[in-house]
Amino acid sequence: MIDKEERVLRQNVDEVKHKAESLEEMKLYNAMRGGIMQGKKREKRRSYFYGMGVVIAAAAAALFLFSINDAPGTEVAEQSPPSYTATTKSWTDSAKFSRASMRDRSFQSILDRNLIKPVYQSVEKNGLRVEVMGAVADTRKLFILYSVHNNTDQTVSHADFSLDFGAFEAASVGASLEITAHSSQINAGQTSYFIYTNNLSPTVDYPKEVTWNVMLYQTSGKGLQTNLSIPFELDPDMFKEQTRTLHPESNLIVDGQTIKVNQVLYTPLNTYVDLEFEKNNDKQVFSLIEPVLIVKSAGKTVKSYYPGIITADNSEVYSDRSKSTLYFKNTQDGQPDAATLKTFGIAALDKDQMKIKVDLSKKQMIEAPNTDLSIIEFEEGAEAGKILFQQTFKKFPLNSIISMRLSDTFTDANGQSHKTAGENGQISRSSSNKESTAVDQYLYNFGKEAAEYPQPLTLTIERYWNPIMDTQTVEFSSQK
């Protein structure tokens, strides 16, 4: 990595760290929301523990929210007739949303370049008013900006929200709700502002007529619920004339592994890079390390770092884990003439290393991909059948680290397959930029009886951080 690029990367690491530290309750609120939506999808998709220690509290918050909705004595507010209003004024409210600490780094650039399309349609019921103020979409992502005004004498908060496309509802896996204030609660007489974001699938023909649904509940008093729905028009391809597709001149070959870069899709919101890891590779590839997109437009070259990523794990866009999309925020208005994707390596494992063996009765590691992974003791006594893995990362690009993920089934020494007794996943991460180290802890629940199974027990690895440094590039040519 050249010195200039390294300096920019380090600068961006500090920026990301600063923003992460400012999330506070927003982290909790989104984690809580994620827990709710994952609960709804549990029959369809496994859920995992994510976050920096807030997840356990968030799960408790989610359970508390469900207990409010389902508890005896909870009432749905008497449904007075809703009152709808609509205006045709231009967008003037970016300042109200610029304080949001969005995980999607493209949002502030979208505000700065005034790309929000005005909507300003609202509904009022039972003293609560929800207004969809603006929205923007580009066939891959959408943002809805709205406000909630509480004209009652009680504090209210969200119980649920969804986007309805008529014949189907927007995916809940990958949806996020961000708040601009420090609290998700809306006090009496207060107006709060929210940003909903979600991924769109390029293979789905989305209608323009949509409905935004919000369920609000009183956090004091009788806990009454009010449901509000706002129909409006949202064109998922509103930047069609400003969209350009760039095609690769060859595949990206890193450490002998083939990564197909199917296309680069440029829109005013983001630049999307569609990847596919070749299934016939010798290694199982999980991710690129420090991908950089270099875009040339009208004689100007712009480098973009730290993309977001859309995968089968955090969205319903993909069902195949070999496919993913990187998205880089856009800061320029001109369309690209050419582009280059640069990566400094891959996270990958040899396919015969995709397993971990443990002796649960002795709580010993028998086999692992490398010495970075170990078993540690719980600080306090834990239920039988639970193991706490610890993975240590040293002197590698910490911002590119991916968390380990293990299958929710395992086999005993006789080859008998068993299902885990509960949810498994990362429960914490601590890091030191000064020492270039990070530590992940990962909880795995085999079940209380598992210590009696023939040992050792074998777990299948689905994702693992094993960096292989090899700088490679692939170039793209422009085609409308």
Side-chain angles (χ1 to χ4, degrees), residues 367-399:
E367 182 180 337
N370 52 36
T371 57
D372 295 341
L373 190 67
S374 60
I375 294 174
I376 63 171
E377 292 291 333
F378 287 94
E379 292 184 1
E380 299 179 1
E383 294 180 22
K386 288 186 178 180
I387 284 283
L388 189 60
F389 292 104
Q390 180 167 289
Q391 191 176 10
T392 304
F393 317 104
K394 296 180 180 179
K395 296 183 179 178
F396 289 114
L398 299 182
N399 52 290

mmCIF file of all heavy atoms in Angstrom, residues 367-399:
data_model
loop_
_atom_site.group_PDB
_atom_site.id
_atom_site.type_symbol
_atom_site.label_atom_id
_atom_site.label_comp_id
_atom_site.label_asym_id
_atom_site.label_seq_id
_atom_site.Cartn_x
_atom_site.Cartn_y
_atom_site.Cartn_z
ATOM 1 N N GLU A 367 -9.051 -28.720 16.973
ATOM 2 C CA GLU A 367 -8.608 -28.306 15.644
ATOM 3 C C GLU A 367 -9.252 -26.968 15.294
ATOM 4 O O GLU A 367 -10.435 -26.747 15.567
ATOM 5 C CB GLU A 367 -9.008 -29.356 14.601
ATOM 6 C CG GLU A 367 -8.551 -29.058 13.193
ATOM 7 C CD GLU A 367 -8.968 -30.137 12.214
ATOM 8 O OE1 GLU A 367 -9.218 -31.288 12.641
ATOM 9 O OE2 GLU A 367 -9.046 -29.826 11.003
ATOM 10 N N ALA A 368 -8.447 -26.079 14.709
ATOM 11 C CA ALA A 368 -8.934 -24.774 14.278
ATOM 12 C C ALA A 368 -8.133 -24.343 13.051
ATOM 13 O O ALA A 368 -7.049 -24.870 12.807
ATOM 14 C CB ALA A 368 -8.787 -23.746 15.399
ATOM 15 N N PRO A 369 -8.644 -23.383 12.284
ATOM 16 C CA PRO A 369 -7.917 -22.956 11.080
ATOM 17 C C PRO A 369 -6.542 -22.378 11.377
ATOM 18 O O PRO A 369 -5.621 -22.509 10.577
ATOM 19 C CB PRO A 369 -8.840 -21.897 10.463
ATOM 20 C CG PRO A 369 -10.196 -22.220 10.978
ATOM 21 C CD PRO A 369 -9.971 -22.749 12.364
ATOM 22 N N ASN A 370 -6.391 -21.697 12.525
ATOM 23 C CA ASN A 370 -5.101 -21.123 12.907
ATOM 24 C C ASN A 370 -5.088 -20.874 14.410
ATOM 25 O O ASN A 370 -6.064 -21.157 15.111
ATOM 26 C CB ASN A 370 -4.812 -19.836 12.120
ATOM 27 C CG ASN A 370 -5.960 -18.831 12.210
ATOM 28 O OD1 ASN A 370 -6.618 -18.702 13.252
ATOM 29 N ND2 ASN A 370 -6.211 -18.114 11.127
ATOM 30 N N THR A 371 -3.988 -20.321 14.885
ATOM 31 C CA THR A 371 -3.827 -20.118 16.333
ATOM 32 C C THR A 371 -4.518 -18.853 16.830
ATOM 33 O O THR A 371 -4.471 -18.556 18.032
ATOM 34 C CB THR A 371 -2.327 -20.040 16.688
ATOM 35 O OG1 THR A 371 -1.714 -18.980 15.939
ATOM 36 C CG2 THR A 371 -1.629 -21.362 16.361
ATOM 37 N N ASP A 372 -5.162 -18.103 15.927
ATOM 38 C CA ASP A 372 -5.881 -16.897 16.355
ATOM 39 C C ASP A 372 -7.120 -17.232 17.172
ATOM 40 O O ASP A 372 -7.636 -16.377 17.904
ATOM 41 C CB ASP A 372 -6.325 -16.075 15.138
ATOM 42 C CG ASP A 372 -5.144 -15.528 14.351
ATOM 43 O OD1 ASP A 372 -4.044 -15.470 14.913
ATOM 44 O OD2 ASP A 372 -5.345 -15.168 13.177
ATOM 45 N N LEU A 373 -7.615 -18.466 17.040
ATOM 46 C CA LEU A 373 -8.870 -18.860 17.694
ATOM 47 C C LEU A 373 -8.588 -19.720 18.911
ATOM 48 O O LEU A 373 -7.780 -20.659 18.857
ATOM 49 C CB LEU A 373 -9.750 -19.637 16.703
ATOM 50 C CG LEU A 373 -11.184 -19.901 17.153
ATOM 51 C CD1 LEU A 373 -11.972 -18.601 17.242
ATOM 52 C CD2 LEU A 373 -11.873 -20.869 16.196
ATOM 53 N N SER A 374 -9.266 -19.407 20.026
ATOM 54 C CA SER A 374 -9.093 -20.163 21.263
ATOM 55 C C SER A 374 -10.419 -20.247 21.995
ATOM 56 O O SER A 374 -11.398 -19.578 21.639
ATOM 57 C CB SER A 374 -8.036 -19.510 22.151
ATOM 58 O OG SER A 374 -8.422 -18.188 22.481
ATOM 59 N N ILE A 375 -10.461 -21.061 23.025
ATOM 60 C CA ILE A 375 -11.618 -21.162 23.922
ATOM 61 C C ILE A 375 -11.241 -20.517 25.243
ATOM 62 O O ILE A 375 -10.163 -20.784 25.784
ATOM 63 C CB ILE A 375 -12.027 -22.632 24.139
ATOM 64 C CG1 ILE A 375 -12.539 -23.244 22.836
ATOM 65 C CG2 ILE A 375 -13.105 -22.733 25.226
ATOM 66 C CD1 ILE A 375 -12.822 -24.732 22.937
ATOM 67 N N ILE A 376 -12.095 -19.652 25.768
ATOM 68 C CA ILE A 376 -11.802 -18.994 27.039
ATOM 69 C C ILE A 376 -12.898 -19.311 28.039
ATOM 70 O O ILE A 376 -14.023 -19.683 27.667
ATOM 71 C CB ILE A 376 -11.656 -17.467 26.870
ATOM 72 C CG1 ILE A 376 -12.975 -16.839 26.376
ATOM 73 C CG2 ILE A 376 -10.520 -17.146 25.911
ATOM 74 C CD1 ILE A 376 -12.954 -15.326 26.410
ATOM 75 N N GLU A 377 -12.583 -19.130 29.297
ATOM 76 C CA GLU A 377 -13.540 -19.385 30.371
ATOM 77 C C GLU A 377 -14.492 -18.193 30.500
ATOM 78 O O GLU A 377 -14.099 -17.038 30.324
ATOM 79 C CB GLU A 377 -12.810 -19.603 31.702
ATOM 80 C CG GLU A 377 -11.988 -20.876 31.771
ATOM 81 C CD GLU A 377 -12.868 -22.127 31.804
ATOM 82 O OE1 GLU A 377 -14.025 -22.024 32.278
ATOM 83 O OE2 GLU A 377 -12.400 -23.185 31.343
ATOM 84 N N PHE A 378 -15.747 -18.477 30.811
ATOM 85 C CA PHE A 378 -16.689 -17.414 31.128
ATOM 86 C C PHE A 378 -16.286 -16.764 32.447
ATOM 87 O O PHE A 378 -15.729 -17.422 33.335
ATOM 88 C CB PHE A 378 -18.103 -17.979 31.260
ATOM 89 C CG PHE A 378 -18.736 -18.381 29.964
ATOM 90 C CD1 PHE A 378 -18.655 -19.695 29.519
ATOM 91 C CD2 PHE A 378 -19.402 -17.456 29.180
ATOM 92 C CE1 PHE A 378 -19.236 -20.075 28.324
ATOM 93 C CE2 PHE A 378 -19.978 -17.825 27.984
ATOM 94 C CZ PHE A 378 -19.901 -19.138 27.554
ATOM 95 N N GLU A 379 -16.576 -15.463 32.554
ATOM 96 C CA GLU A 379 -16.274 -14.781 33.813
ATOM 97 C C GLU A 379 -17.096 -15.346 34.951
ATOM 98 O O GLU A 379 -16.647 -15.417 36.083
ATOM 99 C CB GLU A 379 -16.534 -13.278 33.673
ATOM 100 C CG GLU A 379 -15.566 -12.586 32.726
ATOM 101 C CD GLU A 379 -15.790 -11.093 32.678
ATOM 102 O OE1 GLU A 379 -16.691 -10.609 33.396
ATOM 103 O OE2 GLU A 379 -15.082 -10.407 31.914
ATOM 104 N N GLU A 380 -18.317 -15.743 34.679
ATOM 105 C CA GLU A 380 -19.166 -16.380 35.673
ATOM 106 C C GLU A 380 -19.632 -17.708 35.125
ATOM 107 O O GLU A 380 -19.523 -17.979 33.927
ATOM 108 C CB GLU A 380 -20.370 -15.488 36.004
ATOM 109 C CG GLU A 380 -19.973 -14.132 36.598
ATOM 110 C CD GLU A 380 -21.183 -13.273 36.889
ATOM 111 O OE1 GLU A 380 -22.311 -13.736 36.655
ATOM 112 O OE2 GLU A 380 -20.993 -12.136 37.346
ATOM 113 N N GLY A 381 -20.160 -18.532 35.970
ATOM 114 C CA GLY A 381 -20.615 -19.837 35.541
ATOM 115 C C GLY A 381 -21.647 -19.751 34.441
ATOM 116 O O GLY A 381 -22.573 -18.953 34.502
ATOM 117 N N ALA A 382 -21.468 -20.556 33.395
ATOM 118 C CA ALA A 382 -22.381 -20.544 32.254
ATOM 119 C C ALA A 382 -23.140 -21.857 32.191
ATOM 120 O O ALA A 382 -22.770 -22.848 32.826
ATOM 121 C CB ALA A 382 -21.601 -20.327 30.962
ATOM 122 N N GLU A 383 -24.222 -21.851 31.429
ATOM 123 C CA GLU A 383 -24.998 -23.072 31.254
ATOM 124 C C GLU A 383 -24.143 -24.146 30.604
ATOM 125 O O GLU A 383 -23.254 -23.851 29.795
ATOM 126 C CB GLU A 383 -26.217 -22.797 30.372
ATOM 127 C CG GLU A 383 -27.238 -21.882 30.984
ATOM 128 C CD GLU A 383 -28.408 -21.659 30.038
ATOM 129 O OE1 GLU A 383 -28.618 -22.503 29.156
ATOM 130 O OE2 GLU A 383 -29.087 -20.632 30.177
ATOM 131 N N ALA A 384 -24.432 -25.377 30.947
ATOM 132 C CA ALA A 384 -23.730 -26.493 30.323
ATOM 133 C C ALA A 384 -23.990 -26.474 28.822
ATOM 134 O O ALA A 384 -25.094 -26.176 28.376
ATOM 135 C CB ALA A 384 -24.216 -27.820 30.923
ATOM 136 N N GLY A 385 -22.957 -26.779 28.066
ATOM 137 C CA GLY A 385 -23.105 -26.844 26.616
ATOM 138 C C GLY A 385 -22.734 -25.563 25.901
ATOM 139 O O GLY A 385 -22.733 -25.530 24.662
ATOM 140 N N LYS A 386 -22.389 -24.502 26.646
ATOM 141 C CA LYS A 386 -22.008 -23.249 26.013
ATOM 142 C C LYS A 386 -20.493 -23.100 25.983
ATOM 143 O O LYS A 386 -19.804 -23.419 26.956
ATOM 144 C CB LYS A 386 -22.630 -22.057 26.745
ATOM 145 C CG LYS A 386 -24.124 -21.915 26.527
ATOM 146 C CD LYS A 386 -24.642 -20.639 27.147
ATOM 147 C CE LYS A 386 -26.139 -20.463 26.880
ATOM 148 N NZ LYS A 386 -26.655 -19.211 27.478
ATOM 149 N N ILE A 387 -20.002 -22.602 24.854
ATOM 150 C CA ILE A 387 -18.570 -22.365 24.663
ATOM 151 C C ILE A 387 -18.378 -20.902 24.261
ATOM 152 O O ILE A 387 -19.161 -20.352 23.480
ATOM 153 C CB ILE A 387 -18.000 -23.277 23.550
ATOM 154 C CG1 ILE A 387 -17.831 -24.707 24.062
ATOM 155 C CG2 ILE A 387 -16.677 -22.754 23.021
ATOM 156 C CD1 ILE A 387 -16.617 -24.908 24.943
ATOM 157 N N LEU A 388 -17.336 -20.279 24.792
ATOM 158 C CA LEU A 388 -17.005 -18.922 24.400
ATOM 159 C C LEU A 388 -15.686 -18.944 23.626
ATOM 160 O O LEU A 388 -14.623 -19.220 24.182
ATOM 161 C CB LEU A 388 -16.887 -18.022 25.630
ATOM 162 C CG LEU A 388 -16.758 -16.522 25.352
ATOM 163 C CD1 LEU A 388 -17.982 -16.009 24.589
ATOM 164 C CD2 LEU A 388 -16.583 -15.743 26.660
ATOM 165 N N PHE A 389 -15.799 -18.706 22.321
ATOM 166 C CA PHE A 389 -14.609 -18.627 21.476
ATOM 167 C C PHE A 389 -14.059 -17.208 21.519
ATOM 168 O O PHE A 389 -14.811 -16.237 21.628
ATOM 169 C CB PHE A 389 -14.950 -18.980 20.025
ATOM 170 C CG PHE A 389 -15.325 -20.416 19.797
ATOM 171 C CD1 PHE A 389 -16.645 -20.780 19.613
ATOM 172 C CD2 PHE A 389 -14.349 -21.403 19.774
ATOM 173 C CE1 PHE A 389 -16.999 -22.101 19.392
ATOM 174 C CE2 PHE A 389 -14.683 -22.733 19.567
ATOM 175 C CZ PHE A 389 -16.020 -23.081 19.371
ATOM 176 N N GLN A 390 -12.743 -17.115 21.391
ATOM 177 C CA GLN A 390 -12.108 -15.802 21.274
ATOM 178 C C GLN A 390 -11.159 -15.815 20.079
ATOM 179 O O GLN A 390 -10.319 -16.707 19.956
ATOM 180 C CB GLN A 390 -11.344 -15.453 22.553
ATOM 181 C CG GLN A 390 -10.657 -14.091 22.491
ATOM 182 C CD GLN A 390 -10.184 -13.628 23.847
ATOM 183 O OE1 GLN A 390 -10.985 -13.266 24.711
ATOM 184 N NE2 GLN A 390 -8.882 -13.648 24.063
ATOM 185 N N GLN A 391 -11.326 -14.809 19.216
ATOM 186 C CA GLN A 391 -10.468 -14.693 18.050
ATOM 187 C C GLN A 391 -9.693 -13.389 18.156
ATOM 188 O O GLN A 391 -10.272 -12.315 18.354
ATOM 189 C CB GLN A 391 -11.285 -14.720 16.754
ATOM 190 C CG GLN A 391 -10.428 -14.859 15.506
ATOM 191 C CD GLN A 391 -11.261 -14.993 14.234
ATOM 192 O OE1 GLN A 391 -12.479 -14.804 14.262
ATOM 193 N NE2 GLN A 391 -10.617 -15.323 13.131
ATOM 194 N N THR A 392 -8.371 -13.479 18.025
ATOM 195 C CA THR A 392 -7.495 -12.317 18.167
ATOM 196 C C THR A 392 -6.902 -11.951 16.816
ATOM 197 O O THR A 392 -6.410 -12.820 16.086
ATOM 198 C CB THR A 392 -6.367 -12.612 19.171
ATOM 199 O OG1 THR A 392 -6.936 -13.014 20.420
ATOM 200 C CG2 THR A 392 -5.498 -11.389 19.383
ATOM 201 N N PHE A 393 -6.950 -10.669 16.496
ATOM 202 C CA PHE A 393 -6.428 -10.172 15.223
ATOM 203 C C PHE A 393 -5.278 -9.212 15.519
ATOM 204 O O PHE A 393 -5.417 -8.309 16.348
ATOM 205 C CB PHE A 393 -7.510 -9.421 14.441
ATOM 206 C CG PHE A 393 -8.853 -10.099 14.456
ATOM 207 C CD1 PHE A 393 -9.872 -9.621 15.265
ATOM 208 C CD2 PHE A 393 -9.101 -11.220 13.688
ATOM 209 C CE1 PHE A 393 -11.114 -10.231 15.296
ATOM 210 C CE2 PHE A 393 -10.339 -11.839 13.719
ATOM 211 C CZ PHE A 393 -11.342 -11.345 14.517
ATOM 212 N N LYS A 394 -4.139 -9.384 14.825
ATOM 213 C CA LYS A 394 -2.978 -8.544 15.082
ATOM 214 C C LYS A 394 -2.409 -7.991 13.782
ATOM 215 O O LYS A 394 -2.227 -8.719 12.810
ATOM 216 C CB LYS A 394 -1.887 -9.352 15.795
ATOM 217 C CG LYS A 394 -2.272 -9.847 17.184
ATOM 218 C CD LYS A 394 -1.136 -10.636 17.816
ATOM 219 C CE LYS A 394 -1.521 -11.138 19.204
ATOM 220 N NZ LYS A 394 -0.423 -11.940 19.819
ATOM 221 N N LYS A 395 -2.164 -6.674 13.798
ATOM 222 C CA LYS A 395 -1.442 -5.995 12.723
ATOM 223 C C LYS A 395 -2.011 -6.284 11.336
ATOM 224 O O LYS A 395 -1.294 -6.551 10.384
ATOM 225 C CB LYS A 395 0.046 -6.364 12.781
ATOM 226 C CG LYS A 395 0.722 -5.888 14.061
ATOM 227 C CD LYS A 395 2.195 -6.203 14.072
ATOM 228 C CE LYS A 395 2.828 -5.698 15.361
ATOM 229 N NZ LYS A 395 4.271 -6.016 15.433
ATOM 230 N N PHE A 396 -3.328 -6.260 11.242
ATOM 231 C CA PHE A 396 -3.992 -6.375 9.962
ATOM 232 C C PHE A 396 -4.970 -5.216 9.831
ATOM 233 O O PHE A 396 -5.284 -4.558 10.825
ATOM 234 C CB PHE A 396 -4.725 -7.726 9.854
ATOM 235 C CG PHE A 396 -3.800 -8.897 9.720
ATOM 236 C CD1 PHE A 396 -3.716 -9.855 10.710
ATOM 237 C CD2 PHE A 396 -2.992 -9.045 8.595
ATOM 238 C CE1 PHE A 396 -2.863 -10.944 10.589
ATOM 239 C CE2 PHE A 396 -2.137 -10.118 8.467
ATOM 240 C CZ PHE A 396 -2.067 -11.071 9.460
ATOM 241 N N PRO A 397 -5.456 -4.928 8.638
ATOM 242 C CA PRO A 397 -6.401 -3.808 8.478
ATOM 243 C C PRO A 397 -7.658 -4.036 9.313
ATOM 244 O O PRO A 397 -8.555 -4.788 8.933
ATOM 245 C CB PRO A 397 -6.708 -3.824 6.980
ATOM 246 C CG PRO A 397 -5.574 -4.580 6.355
ATOM 247 C CD PRO A 397 -5.160 -5.590 7.366
ATOM 248 N N LEU A 398 -7.718 -3.394 10.487
ATOM 249 C CA LEU A 398 -8.784 -3.676 11.436
ATOM 250 C C LEU A 398 -10.151 -3.286 10.905
ATOM 251 O O LEU A 398 -11.161 -3.881 11.270
ATOM 252 C CB LEU A 398 -8.512 -2.949 12.759
ATOM 253 C CG LEU A 398 -7.223 -3.345 13.482
ATOM 254 C CD1 LEU A 398 -7.113 -2.588 14.790
ATOM 255 C CD2 LEU A 398 -7.161 -4.843 13.732
ATOM 256 N N ASN A 399 -10.210 -2.262 10.040
ATOM 257 C CA ASN A 399 -11.510 -1.827 9.529
ATOM 258 C C ASN A 399 -12.102 -2.816 8.538
ATOM 259 O O ASN A 399 -13.274 -2.740 8.197
ATOM 260 C CB ASN A 399 -11.379 -0.463 8.859
ATOM 261 C CG ASN A 399 -10.269 -0.440 7.833
ATOM 262 O OD1 ASN A 399 -9.096 -0.498 8.208
ATOM 263 N ND2 ASN A 399 -10.605 -0.365 6.566
#
